[in-house]
Amino acid sequence: MTGPVPDDETGFDQVLAFTIPDMHARGRAVRLGPLLDEILSAHAYPPAIRNLLAEALVICALIGSLLKEGADEDSQGQLTMQVQAEGGIVDLLVCDYRSGELRGYVRHDAERLSMLGANPSLYALFGQGYLAITFDLASSGQRYQGIVPLEGDTLAACCQDYFAQSEQVPTLLRIGVRCAGDRCVAGGLLVQHLAEGEEGRMRLHVRMDHPEWEHVATLAGSTRHDELVDPALSLEALVWRLFHDEREVRVQGGVRLARGCRCSVEHYEQVLAKFPEEDRVDMRDDDGLIGIDCAFCSKQFAIAL
């Protein structure tokens, strides 16, 4: 990488992938715009919940883009990030990434939220809870999940703890969210150190104080909030600002991101067909239809099955 390369292809709603070979590091950068507005428009989220979901969607895009995709639609990997809590204003936050498609939803108590200030803490929103990250791997067909307590000031901090505890991968996340009226921009940076210098190899000697990681984390940690949400600053230029002194930075445009709600009559018919007939009888209304609301997009379906 010899300088900042302006490229409209990696503006809003697309992931930029990069590696720093000499430091055995990899990274992802993303900035959400129109896609974020589309997802948030499904519900009239109050500002605190809107910002929380925006942060979660950015994290989901960054981590999900690390998945290796399968050769066809039926073999795509999926990342699901879910926060569940008891006693909090938010009792469920869920978002997922599948082959460049994002979706997310937050269930919360609006009345209790209204009694808090403008910027409630993560603990005030969730109380006691946990973060679960589930990977469905396209390459092997396997699923695995890591769970960490919901501790720290931000979701990004919780995800860093997840990678340190469950994956043994030193990870740094920086997230920024800016909303004005009904328009939002959210950006993020993820950087990881692969101790063996190669993806897919067992990491036998993970060191959070490894000189390579300390160097990369210091540079990445200098990312400012305004840089992450500035549409005038391309993602390539952001990476160049951070790592221009490195001998080599390899940059590769990632997939374009799109809204990924997969609800349809056909989908729900397949889901309902798995229930015994007696259960479906109990679900039907007076007209013989089964009503379903999609929490992700607020669409309503009347299924005749």
Side-chain angles (χ1 to χ4, degrees):
M1 186 172 180
T2 58
V5 183
D7 187 349
D8 294 336
E9 294 300 311
T10 53
F12 283 126
D13 304 334
Q14 185 174 3
V15 178
L16 179 74
F18 62 93
T19 59
I20 309 172
D22 290 349
M23 295 291 108
H24 301 139
R26 68 175 178 182
R28 298 291 187 272
V30 68
R31 184 176 293 126
L32 303 180
L35 168 60
L36 179 60
D37 291 335
E38 184 181 6
I39 295 175
L40 295 176
S41 68
H43 299 276
Y45 291 117
I49 303 301
R50 175 196 62 194
N51 293 348
L52 177 70
L53 181 54
E55 179 185 4
L57 288 166
V58 170
I59 295 171
C60 201
L62 290 169
I63 300 176
S65 65
L66 298 173
L67 289 170
K68 294 182 178 179
E69 303 293 354
D72 54 62
E73 185 176 350
D74 293 331
S75 61
Q76 302 303 327
Q78 177 170 313
L79 166 81
T80 302
M81 189 169 74
Q82 183 169 323
V83 177
Q84 288 191 324
E86 294 184 4
I89 290 168
V90 176
D91 65 344
L92 175 66
L93 182 154
V94 60
C95 57
D96 65 40
Y97 171 100
R98 183 175 184 266
S99 191
E101 294 185 339
L102 275 175
R103 62 179 182 173
Y105 168 68
V106 179
R107 188 173 64 211
H108 67 287
D109 186 326
E111 183 177 349
R112 291 177 59 196
L113 178 65
S114 66
M115 294 185 290
L116 295 181
N119 297 299
S121 67
L122 200 66
Y123 182 80
L125 290 174
F126 288 102
Q128 297 292 334
Y130 65 87
L131 167 70
I133 297 181
T134 305
F135 292 90
D136 291 285
L137 303 181
S139 57
S140 64
Q142 295 179 328
R143 165 182 288 193
Y144 70 94
Q145 183 182 76
I147 297 176
V148 294
L150 197 62
E151 298 173 346
D153 295 331
T154 63
L155 285 178
C158 296
C159 289
Q160 288 181 171
D161 289 342
Y162 161 79
F163 277 106
Q165 296 176 25
S166 299
E167 298 289 320
Q168 293 291 294
V169 179
T171 300
L172 180 140
L173 278 162
R174 290 291 180 269
I175 309 295
V177 178
R178 183 177 67 197
C179 295
D182 60 352
R183 304 296 301 273
C184 289
V185 175
L189 177 75
L190 175 149
V191 180
Q192 294 184 319
H193 186 231
L194 303 180
E196 298 292 338
E198 181 179 326
E199 294 189 33
R201 291 181 60 181
M202 185 177 297
R203 291 172 287 275
L204 299 177
H205 305 291
V206 175
R207 286 178 52 192
M208 295 297 179
D209 63 345
H210 194 292
E212 292 177 353
W213 174 239
E214 289 183 335
H215 174 74
V216 171
T218 298
L219 295 177
S222 68
T223 307
R224 302 193 310 271
H225 178 278
D226 62 294
E227 292 177 316
L228 294 170
V229 297
D230 182 3
L233 179 66
S234 72
L235 297 178
E236 291 92 341
L238 173 60
V239 173
W240 169 252
R241 284 187 182 186
L242 295 173
F243 304 112
H244 62 272
D245 284 335
E246 302 307 309
R247 186 182 66 85
E248 181 182 16
V249 179
R250 299 174 185 172
V251 175
Q252 179 181 3
V255 297
R256 285 194 173 276
L257 301 171
R259 187 178 183 177
C261 195
R262 297 180 284 278
C263 62
S264 66
V265 171
E266 293 77 13
H267 170 72
Y268 289 123
E269 285 178 342
Q270 293 174 5
V271 173
L272 291 170
K274 299 176 182 178
F275 286 84
E277 173 61 21
E278 57 269 24
D279 290 347
R280 295 201 297 269
V281 169
D282 293 336
M283 299 177 192
R284 295 185 182 117
D285 60 19
D286 293 340
D287 297 321
L289 301 176
I290 300 175
I292 296 178
D293 297 335
C294 177
F296 289 103
C297 67
S298 291
K299 289 181 182 179
Q300 297 180 337
F301 297 85
I303 310 296
L305 188 66

